Amino acid sequence: MNYHFQAHRQVRKNLLDILQNTSHQDLLLIPDGFNNNIYWNIAHTVATQQLLHYYLSGNTFRIDKYWIETYKKGTLPNLNVQKSEVEDLEFLLTETSKTLMKDFDSDFFSDYTPYTTSFGMDLKSIQDAIIFNNMHESLHYGYAMAQKRAILGEKY
């Protein structure tokens, strides 16, 4: 599983780079052809990771429920995000990855409720969920990069 944790840290580093190197205005802009923004895609990865790993294993979330309710699947982007929330998300991107690894190493995920994702993948264990979550976060990293390119194209 070490490789999968390394991959998770890397995708989170990539997401953090976009978050820190995109203007606040651009983070919240919904580019033509999209139904959400860069910020939503990044916050959504944190919310989904908590649901896939903690909720489905019967454990409490490691983040405030606000993030889950605001950025889970099916939510709409918040266009009134304060800079302090962006800073909170920066922290969560790094810390939830570290916490996941510590919790996994301490056998925190002893139970897991099987779940079929909307992508069509069957998750039967925390290991499956960690591997799938990396794919899910990479997908949203790609969306965020495409949105950033679209925004830059609209400006120039």
Side-chain angles (χ1 to χ4, degrees):
M1 288 302 294
N2 285 338
Y3 177 83
H4 299 293
F5 287 118
Q6 180 183 358
H8 190 245
R9 285 190 306 273
Q10 185 61 51
V11 74
R12 289 291 181 92
K13 181 181 173 189
N14 294 346
L15 289 166
L16 182 61
D17 183 63
I18 289 177
L19 191 62
Q20 292 176 328
N21 293 300
T22 305
S23 73
H24 189 78
Q25 179 182 357
D26 287 353
L27 285 173
L28 303 181
L29 181 66
I30 299 174
D32 288 341
F34 292 90
N35 62 0
N36 54 41
N37 55 31
I38 294 169
Y39 186 82
W40 184 91
N41 275 286
I42 296 172
H44 172 72
T45 65
V46 172
T48 301
Q49 182 260 335
Q50 293 290 300
L51 289 164
L52 290 175
H53 298 152
Y54 292 89
Y55 177 76
L56 290 174
S57 64
N59 290 303
T60 58
F61 297 127
R62 295 297 201 193
I63 62 175
D64 190 281
K65 204 168 186 176
Y66 162 81
W67 293 95
I68 310 297
E69 294 304 320
T70 308
Y71 297 106
K72 67 184 176 185
K73 182 180 178 179
T75 60
L76 298 173
N78 179 359
L79 301 178
N80 192 27
V81 172
Q82 302 302 308
K83 289 187 180 187
S84 61
E85 187 177 316
V86 176
E87 292 168 359
D88 290 344
L89 182 56
E90 290 174 5
F91 175 80
L92 290 175
L93 279 170
T94 303
E95 291 305 309
T96 55
S97 186
K98 290 177 188 176
T99 302
L100 172 65
M101 192 166 63
K102 288 176 189 172
D103 287 343
F104 182 84
D105 287 343
S106 66
D107 293 325
F108 190 70
F109 304 104
S110 56
D111 293 323
Y112 196 82
T113 302
Y115 176 74
T116 301
T117 70
S118 59
F119 197 78
M121 298 292 298
D122 292 327
L123 308 182
K124 297 177 182 172
S125 66
I126 188 62
Q127 291 87 348
D128 291 349
I130 290 168
I131 293 166
F132 174 78
N133 185 67
N134 284 348
M135 183 174 68
H136 176 260
E137 292 193 12
S138 295
L139 174 80
H140 284 281
Y141 172 62
Y143 274 118
M145 288 190 323
Q147 289 173 324
K148 190 165 184 173
R149 281 193 303 274
I151 289 167
L152 293 175
E154 289 173 8
K155 284 186 171 182
Y156 301 103

